[in-house]
Amino acid sequence: MGGREKRVAVLADAAIALIAESGMRGLTHRAVDVRAGMPTGTTSAYLRTRQALIEAVVRRLADLDRADIAGHDLPGGAPSVPTGPPLSPTDLDRLAAGIAGVLDHWLSAARTRTLARYACLLEAVHRPQLRTILEHGVVLRAQAEDLLTRAGAPDPRRRGHRFVAFVDGLLFDRLVGAGALSAPAPGTPASRADLTEAVRDLLRALVG
């Protein structure tokens, strides 16, 4: 990563923290300068417009999410499941644990990023030019389709898309929904175990 890329990453991280705390209305170039500990005008020099700033946030979120997935027991990172069909029930159980690990991380250590991601998704409803944030979900759906194909699930494309939607709903419920009131505290073994069970049940239901 070059000097400019490193500086933009620092600014994007500061912007992500601001969005998580105050929503999109709290995102200004000056606020990012202050949060990043940079001289006034730094953010404007690197990311001149508000759209450019939000786009940098979206790219940074996607990069960090990919790094998280690569660091867990999931395809695209360091998978322990076979690289081709079929997937056994044991493979699916291991995959469920890997997915649960990522979800728990996004609910705990990376909670700020998860809140910012949802804020950006809502912003994209009103700013079609920001819908590139949805591309990451397209990749996840393709991966889910491949996994369900290898597991022998019927109609793996449709069920793969549903799997991603269900998991995203689980994440949202645990983050800001009623699930946050009753689920184990994020970042604990109990949380990871509970999420593993939920994802495993979902995979088994979709595989049939």
Side-chain angles (χ1 to χ4, degrees):
M1 184 182 291
R4 185 184 191 284
E5 289 78 12
K6 289 180 180 179
R7 182 63 61 88
V8 170
V10 170
L11 295 172
D13 287 342
I16 288 168
L18 287 169
I19 293 170
E21 290 175 1
S22 307
M24 284 297 184
R25 67 179 177 275
L27 182 65
T28 66
H29 286 76
R30 181 173 178 79
V32 174
D33 288 339
V34 172
R35 186 58 182 255
M38 300 289 184
T40 300
T42 301
T43 305
S44 295
Y46 283 87
L47 303 163
R48 184 165 297 278
T49 66
R50 180 178 173 82
Q51 179 176 332
L53 177 56
I54 297 175
E55 287 175 348
V57 168
V58 168
R59 287 192 299 270
R60 181 66 171 161
L61 288 171
D63 288 345
L64 292 172
D65 284 353
R66 281 191 291 268
D68 287 341
I69 291 172
H72 288 75
D73 188 16
L74 296 174
S80 61
V81 295
T83 57
L87 291 178
S88 70
T90 299
D91 294 325
L92 292 179
D93 288 347
R94 191 160 53 240
L95 180 63
I99 293 172
V102 173
L103 294 177
D104 185 65
H105 177 68
W106 288 347
L107 288 167
S108 53
R111 183 176 185 273
T112 294
R113 281 166 36 206
T114 308
L115 289 170
R117 185 187 311 114
Y118 283 127
C120 288
L121 285 168
L122 289 173
E123 184 79 1
V125 173
H126 307 290
R127 293 173 177 262
Q129 65 270 31
L130 298 178
R131 290 176 66 82
T132 52
I133 193 173
L134 302 178
E135 292 177 1
H136 186 49
V138 173
V139 173
L140 293 176
R141 280 166 169 74
Q143 292 175 340
E145 177 184 350
D146 176 66
L147 289 169
L148 290 179
T149 298
R150 292 158 57 193
D155 198 357
R157 182 176 186 277
R158 178 177 295 180
R159 295 192 180 201
H161 290 194
R162 289 174 177 173
F163 175 75
V164 175
F166 292 154
V167 169
D168 195 41
L170 175 63
L171 178 65
F172 187 86
D173 181 60
R174 296 291 176 90
L175 183 71
V176 297
L181 300 176
S182 58
T188 64
S191 173
R192 290 187 290 275
D194 190 64
L195 289 165
T196 298
E197 182 179 359
V199 176
R200 184 173 61 239
D201 288 348
L202 176 57
L203 281 171
R204 290 177 178 175
L206 291 172
V207 170

